[in-house]
Amino acid sequence: MSGYGRDCADIVRAARAGTYKIGMILGSGLGSLADEVVDGVRIPYSRLTGFPVSSVTSHSSELVAGNLGGVPVVILSGRAHYYESGDAGIMRTPVETLKELGCEILLATNAAGSLRSENAPGSPLILSDHINWSGLNPLIGEEDEARFLDMSAAYDPDLRAALAKVARETGDPVPEGVYMWFSGPSFETPAEIRMARTLGADAVGMSTVPEVILARFLGMRVVAMSILTNYGAGLQSHALSHDETKSVAMTGMDRVKQIVRAFVMEVGHG
Ligand code: HPA
């Protein structure tokens, strides 16, 4: 089973020749990081066969290839979520495209709900691991033995350390935590949030996990960072909303951008 990654990589290379080091998938409200890319090309997903066009209002749905801090990067500004299609493999072609373009590293960002009072909305969280209790997996249907993918160190320890280091060097330290994937699109119930905490989660969200599985399947090294936009259901007094996700993600964006920029320079010149 494979997507259209090779075809899409050809389209990107036709627009801008080169090989790339770091691929990024940017979640809700974080797309403006793509504005920092210099010398780049922007290609709308609608021109890339097999790329999903996200229906989520804060996602811009374009691929940006260029230089960030002197490092050749490909930014996927906007992702598709499982809840838009019911297809856990919806991000297969985009992740394949990053790999085909030479990206050895995937950096994924997302917006997530915090399960810990000390990790306040507006602040970032480095993912140390995930819990996929959904029963879904983008590798279901894969026939090759490679489907039995080792996930012991899915979030690369060295890249996590590099992310934590550049965070410390540029501002407040950023904690690590376990991200639990829920399908969405409804938010969790308070009982589900209590369950997630009991199971060892520090944050909850509706994305990233399928992409991480796909990227590991393709042999990429993975690192991921959330911007916490709210406390999980039942842990805050007001109702959860996508408006809150978008607006709080905005407030934390400058810090995330700063960390990502520093991270790219730290690991991209090696
Ligand atoms: N739950 C799931 N996804 C989210 C949340 C949440 O509380 N906040 C932002 N994305």
Side-chain angles (χ1 to χ4, degrees), residues 112-121 123 125 131 175-182 187-205 226-236 240:
S114 174
L115 306 193
R116 289 191 167 275
S117 56
E118 66 270 32
N119 297 341
S123 65
L125 180 78
I131 299 174
E176 286 203 332
V178 173
Y179 175 91
M180 185 162 180
W181 182 38
F182 283 84
F187 285 108
E188 301 73 31
T189 63
E192 287 163 348
I193 291 297
R194 286 195 298 276
M195 175 195 73
R197 284 226 290 202
T198 303
L199 294 180
D202 303 299
V204 291
S226 295
I227 170 143
L228 302 169
T229 56
N230 55 279
Y231 288 115
L235 303 178
Q236 63 181 28
L240 276 64

Side-chain angles (χ1 to χ4, degrees), residues 137-159:
N137 194 300
L139 302 183
I140 289 174
E142 201 61 49
E143 285 170 8
D144 202 78
E145 290 283 295
R147 66 186 164 183
F148 300 115
L149 179 67
D150 175 40
M151 294 290 287
S152 311
Y155 297 82
D156 190 281
D158 292 338
L159 296 180

Side-chain angles (χ1 to χ4, degrees), residues 38-61:
V38 296
D39 240 349
V41 291
R42 285 175 179 265
I43 305 176
Y45 287 178
S46 55
R47 282 190 45 214
L48 297 167
T49 319
F51 266 60
V53 177
S54 177
S55 58
V56 183
T57 52
S58 50
H59 287 241
S60 69
S61 297

